[in-house]
Amino acid sequence: MRTAMMAAALGLLMVGSTAQAAPILYSFSGQISGTLNGQAFTLSDYILSLATDTDTVFQPRPDFRPSLYNSGPATLSFTINGVSGTFATQFNAFSVTLGSGSGQRSLVGFTEAEQFGNDLIDVRDPGLLGYDLKTGISSATNLPIDFLNFGTAFETSAGTLIFANDDEASARFSASLSAVPEPASWAMMVLGFGILGGALRQRTKVRVRIA
């Protein structure tokens, strides 16, 4: 009976752990121009990646624009022209639907996680209408860049990064969900297995009574 109860407790722990929010990686990639640490690059390959968790997603102004979603602040990583680094300030991923009816358009991008932070890049695509940042989506190719913050100096671990005004810059956006349990989930599972193992050891003990 005790073993069954312990197994049930383990099951609840496992279910609880799988109910945790999932890690998610938002990425932009394509080609872009600019300077990094004083070195110019022209239509070079780039990747911008922001790793966070779906439970950090919130609506900053649901009373004003319920279709606006932000992720929690996180470190933005990049690889540009073969050089990798991280931005000095943290960023949010955001998604918003603008307009109404046939005039609706969606924007997805990265913005600095501070009161007067700069947007880094925004793209639009009809397939992103109403995207809540909590689900994975496949990479969409050649998304129109709605806004690229060219001329603004962003400090990074690899030097100052400045994007140039380039009409030929391209973007792809994707969001990948990870099935790997979070550290808290691993801890709960290990604890559950420990409880079950202890119960089984108690059950297999043999009591010897001396007459």
Side-chain angles (χ1 to χ4, degrees), residues 104-127:
Q104 278 191 324
R105 65 190 183 113
S106 65
L107 287 179
V108 173
F110 292 146
T111 185
E112 286 182 303
E114 50 189 46
Q115 188 174 3
F116 300 106
N118 295 294
D119 282 10
L120 180 63
I121 186 173
D122 305 350
V123 299
R124 52 190 163 89
D125 186 85

Side-chain angles (χ1 to χ4, degrees), residues 128-154:
L128 297 172
L129 286 173
Y131 178 55
D132 65 0
L133 299 180
K134 293 185 179 182
T135 57
I137 61 173
S138 299
S139 177
T141 304
N142 296 326
L143 291 172
I145 294 180
D146 194 80
F147 175 79
L148 177 62
N149 201 329
F150 59 88
T152 297
F154 293 96

Side-chain angles (χ1 to χ4, degrees), residues 43-115:
L43 289 180
S44 297
D45 293 333
Y46 75 93
I47 300 175
L48 302 171
S49 300
L50 188 144
T52 181
D53 214 284
T54 54
D55 69 352
T56 71
V57 174
F58 65 100
Q59 292 179 293
R61 285 295 303 276
D63 57 325
F64 170 66
R65 184 174 283 153
S67 61
L68 172 63
Y69 298 93
N70 270 20
S71 74
T75 299
L76 183 64
S77 302
F78 68 87
T79 299
I80 298 175
N81 203 26
V83 178
S84 297
T86 56
F87 284 76
T89 58
Q90 291 194 312
F91 279 74
N92 300 113
F94 73 88
S95 173
V96 63
T97 298
L98 303 172
S100 60
S102 60
Q104 278 191 324
R105 65 190 183 113
S106 65
L107 287 179
V108 173
F110 292 146
T111 185
E112 286 182 303
E114 50 189 46
Q115 188 174 3

